[in-house]
Amino acid sequence: MRIGDAAAAVGTTPRALRFYEQRGLLPPPPRTRSGQRDYGPWELAVLRVIRELLALGLTVEDLRGVAGRLPLLAVHPAPRCGTAAADRGGPGVVGEAVVERRIAALDTEIERLTRLRDGLRAGLSAQRGGDRPQRSPAG
């Protein structure tokens, strides 16, 4: 399957597939005689894993460190991340450390956004309460 069809099959764009390959998340797929990328079921399975992990909030940089293990998820779908794998005697394919770092980054971002929201809310409350010109009772 060519790159456009493969991208559509996993819900992304050809540009994203080239980016994943460029960043080392996906090994270069075989090429046709004319030099076009030729994605098969194995590559599509790995691409689905990449898309799923990105949708969970991991970043491309998070996945770069475990790119060599991503094909394992295509073959053995569970466990994806963290400590669920520890219950079965091994680390998750993505790894607990990667997941913990991502959770910490998300917590920091949530705190930053909460401060921004609270600041905007306080500014809006001040504007409504004290800075607004008062109307006269007549009109």
Side-chain angles (χ1 to χ4, degrees):
M1 152 180 326
R2 297 214 171 106
I3 193 167
D5 295 329
V10 297
T12 193
T13 64
R15 183 176 178 188
L17 299 192
R18 287 188 289 273
F19 178 74
Y20 299 156
E21 184 181 331
Q22 193 176 51
R23 299 303 291 167
L25 302 184
L26 180 69
R31 300 275 184 153
T32 64
R33 287 182 185 248
S34 62
Q36 294 180 332
R37 290 170 174 86
D38 188 20
Y39 294 89
W42 183 84
E43 289 85 9
L44 290 178
V46 174
L47 284 167
R48 284 186 185 99
V49 166
I50 291 167
R51 299 290 298 157
E52 182 180 329
L53 291 171
L54 292 172
L56 285 173
L58 295 173
T59 66
V60 169
E61 290 305 311
D62 292 333
L63 298 183
R64 280 187 72 194
V66 297
R69 295 184 294 190
L70 294 176
L72 295 174
L73 291 174
V75 177
H76 304 290
R80 295 260 189 271
C81 313
T83 59
D87 299 337
R88 296 184 11 194
V93 171
V94 174
E96 189 173 344
V98 170
V99 174
E100 290 293 336
R101 277 193 309 270
R102 190 65 194 136
I103 289 170
L106 289 170
D107 286 342
T108 299
E109 183 67 3
I110 289 167
E111 290 170 13
R112 184 184 75 79
L113 291 171
T114 299
R115 284 192 307 273
L116 285 173
R117 181 201 60 207
D118 293 347
L120 287 171
R121 187 175 285 146
L124 188 58
S125 293
Q127 183 180 9
R128 286 180 178 162
D131 298 341
R132 207 181 259 179
Q134 299 293 323
R135 289 187 190 188
S136 64

